[in-house]
Amino acid sequence: MHSNSFNSAISRRTLMKVAGASAVVAAAGLPSRLFAADPIKVAAIYTVPVEQQWVSRIHKAANAAKERGDIEYVYSENTANNDYERVMREYCEAGHKLILGEVFGVEDAARAVAKDYPDVAFLMGSSFKPDAAVPNFSVFDNYIQDASYLSGLVAGAMTKSKNIGMVGGYPIPEVNRLMNAFMAGVNEVAPDTKFQVAFIGSWFDPPKAKETAFAQIDGGADLLYAERFGVSDAAKEKKVLAIGNVIDTQADYPDTVVVSALWHFEPTLDKAIAEVKAGTFKADDYGVYSFMKNGGCSLAPLGTFDSKVPDDIKAKVAEKEKMIKDGSFAVEINDAEPKSS
């Protein structure tokens, strides 16, 4: 389905000059300039601050790879969509061999850049699938529906009003699938639960997320799904509970955040780094590396809420987690926009 090689080919003799090259690599036919010795030059382009929860996980994984000596790492944050293409080109011209980022608002422009730099590997957060016509452009997304579902099981046991507020950024697949998985978990434990669903139209606007959460609390919610920053602040102020997303914020909200669905970007990035080093990077969908069975997501420890979550729910979560990891249970991936009930 996807292209296994770039258009230009190199001989087996040339490949064998690269340290660690194998017969398998030789068959890939990748241009020699995409091969990289340790460390490889990596640049990331973010449209939000690096402390924003989604981007922070990419940043964390990149810094870990840098500390290991696998990569050199630079990044730009708060890059506007209308400036994204220019920054991509600057990093390519500067000799970076792997470009990371999130192109949800610049899908076509980002792919146009990749076509102009066939010797550079691109790994981008995207709502689209890989295209064989752009063989050096791979996509990823935070497919952490497994952990989101498990957090929903906990939430279903912790809401007393059976009214849950959910505040998201945009109703796009990478947000929708997490919300839907969370709702599925809740419904399994408390099928009569009412959901209030809202999107704030921003990836990083804590004040707006907070005000939206206040409205949901006024509407009867006693537990909030904090897909965006700002929601847990509202929950803390109004003394209701919250479920975290992507990062664990319980240390900041010990009496508020019950549990969080965590995203681990390390398996995704490490796979890409290995492919670039081997000269085998190609257009692919890296979403699977966010699955729980691949170490791409997990449920945070209950911590301060360990004694407050019912034992039968903790047992159910442990059982479902085991089934997810061994493949006997699969959480549905539902990218449809969730609606209030």
Side-chain angles (χ1 to χ4, degrees):
M1 178 174 154
H2 308 311
S3 172
N4 287 324
S5 64
F6 293 102
N7 292 330
S8 57
I10 52 177
S11 69
R12 179 179 175 83
R13 178 178 298 176
T14 302
L15 280 168
M16 292 307 291
K17 292 179 180 178
V18 180
S22 66
V24 173
V25 174
L30 293 164
S32 60
R33 285 167 293 182
L34 196 57
F35 282 87
D38 289 343
I40 64 173
K41 293 182 67 175
V42 175
I45 310 167
Y46 306 123
T47 61
V48 294
V50 290
E51 64 262 30
Q52 189 262 8
Q53 65 263 48
W54 194 87
V55 159
S56 74
R57 306 306 280 179
I58 304 172
H59 188 57
K60 176 178 179 291
N63 276 317
K66 177 182 177 181
E67 290 172 5
R68 292 196 308 265
D70 289 341
I71 67 173
E72 295 176 7
Y73 172 55
V74 297
Y75 66 92
S76 297
E77 58 184 338
N78 295 312
T79 303
N81 283 332
N82 60 13
D83 200 32
Y84 207 94
E85 181 179 349
R86 178 190 65 80
V87 178
M88 288 180 70
R89 291 183 183 280
E90 285 187 356
Y91 279 136
C92 291
E93 291 293 336
H96 293 89
K97 289 304 178 184
L98 174 61
I99 309 295
L100 306 174
E102 18 98 14
V103 297
F104 300 102
V106 288
E107 299 277 7
D108 293 338
R111 286 164 174 79
V113 173
K115 287 183 178 180
D116 289 343
Y117 295 93
D119 297 339
V120 179
F122 296 83
L123 179 63
M124 295 293 187
S126 170
S127 294
F128 297 165
K129 293 299 181 182
D131 182 357
V134 194
N136 58 328
F137 193 98
S138 287
V139 298
F140 69 87
D141 212 338
N142 62 330
Y143 281 85
I144 65 169
Q145 64 280 344
D146 299 329
S148 298
Y149 162 79
L150 296 179
S151 73
L153 295 177
V154 176
M158 297 301 287
T159 175
K160 295 177 180 176
S161 68
K162 300 297 183 267
N163 187 325
I164 293 178
M166 306 180 69
V167 181
Y170 295 92
I172 65 171
E174 73 102 6
V175 175
N176 298 344
R177 73 176 65 103
L178 308 189
M179 285 186 159
N180 284 320
F182 171 82
M183 294 165 80
V186 171
N187 284 328
E188 191 170 321
V189 174
D192 55 342
T193 298
K194 173 184 176 180
F195 295 96
Q196 301 178 62
V197 181
F199 298 93
I200 63 172
S202 173
W203 291 130
F204 193 73
D205 191 344
K208 189 173 183 179
K210 185 177 181 180
E211 288 303 315
T212 304
F214 278 148
Q216 294 179 339
I217 296 170
D218 290 343
D222 69 345
L223 187 145
L224 301 173
Y225 176 76
E227 201 272 328
R228 293 291 105 194
F229 273 167
V231 177
S232 294
D233 292 304
K236 180 180 179 180
E237 285 189 28
K238 295 294 185 177
K239 293 181 168 52
V240 301
L241 302 177
I243 300 294
N245 180 59
V246 176
I247 64 174
D248 186 2
T249 57
Q250 193 185 75
D252 297 321
Y253 308 94
D255 300 318
T256 303
V257 174
V258 181
V259 73
S260 300
L262 306 182
W263 183 32
H264 307 295
F265 190 67
E266 287 80 0
T268 302
L269 179 57
D270 292 350
K271 173 66 174 176
I273 291 171
E275 295 292 342
V276 171
K277 287 182 177 179
T280 53
F281 190 91
K282 64 181 184 295
D284 209 345
D285 186 347
Y286 279 64
V288 66
Y289 298 105
S290 290
F291 285 24
M292 183 170 283
K293 65 182 180 182
N294 292 321
C297 68
S298 66
L299 195 66
L302 291 170
T304 54
F305 279 84
D306 188 64
S307 62
K308 301 173 185 177
V309 175
D311 288 340
D312 63 324
I313 294 300
K314 288 191 282 189
K316 185 178 185 67
V317 168
E319 177 189 13
K320 288 291 188 177
E321 180 177 348
K322 180 178 181 298
M323 294 172 68
I324 290 170
K325 289 180 176 178
D326 68 22
S328 59
F329 175 74
V331 176
E332 180 185 7
I333 299 175
N334 180 359
D335 288 347
E337 181 178 342
K339 302 293 185 180
S340 297
S341 58

